[in-house]
């Protein structure tokens, strides 16, 4: 899995590509936390559209990203297309606390 960050003004976009399973989730959580801890952004987007595979470990990644964003006073949204990945996140009820775009 690869993680790439893009900055446009006060919006940070974190793009995940490849496969996101248990082992990749540990690294992703650490990198995302580091990116969001700066607190110099007003908004952040966690872009999951580049993932070819995601299991329930994606729930933990999104929740940790949400918590890190909250701690830095950053509004977080998740970009995910309709399909398997979105169903996993919806089943966990994450749409109740995080905006999906």
């Amino acid at each position: 899995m690869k993680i790439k960050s893009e900055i446009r003004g006060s919006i940070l976009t974190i793009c995940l590509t490849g496969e996101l399973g248990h082992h990749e989730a540990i690294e992703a959580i650490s990198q995302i936390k580091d990116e969001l801890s700066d607190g110099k952004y007003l908004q952040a987007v966690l872009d999951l559209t580049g993932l070819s595979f995601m299991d329930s470990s994606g729930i933990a990644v999104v929740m940790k990203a949400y918590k890190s964003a909250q701690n830095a006073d950053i509004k977080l949204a998740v970009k995910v297309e309709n399909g398997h990945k979105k169903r996993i996140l919806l089943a966990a009820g994450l749409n109740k606390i995080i905006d999906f775009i």
Side-chain angles (χ1 to χ4, degrees):
M1 184 187 66
K2 291 183 181 179
I3 300 175
K4 179 180 156 190
S5 297
E6 301 172 354
I7 302 166
R8 290 192 180 147
S10 62
I11 301 174
L12 169 67
T13 300
I14 303 170
C15 303
L16 279 61
T17 57
E19 297 188 356
L20 177 59
H22 174 72
H23 296 291
E24 296 85 9
I26 295 167
E27 179 65 25
I29 289 168
S30 175
Q31 286 187 27
I32 292 166
K33 182 179 178 182
D34 289 345
E35 290 282 345
L36 293 172
S37 66
D38 288 342
K40 57 185 174 184
Y41 312 104
L42 297 176
Q43 297 178 338
V45 175
L46 184 59
D47 186 347
L48 306 178
T49 59
L51 291 175
S52 57
F53 170 81
M54 183 182 88
D55 63 13
S56 60
S57 299
I59 296 169
V61 170
V62 172
M63 284 302 301
K64 294 288 187 174
Y66 174 72
K67 185 67 174 172
S68 294
Q70 260 191 327
N71 289 341
D73 200 26
I74 298 170
K75 181 168 175 48
L76 179 72
V78 174
K79 184 174 182 181
V80 61
E81 69 274 37
N82 289 327
H84 178 74
K85 293 176 280 190
K86 190 169 186 178
R87 284 193 300 275
I88 289 171
L89 300 176
L90 290 173
L94 296 182
N95 60 311
K96 296 176 183 173
I97 59 170
I98 301 170
D99 291 333
F100 288 179
I101 56 172

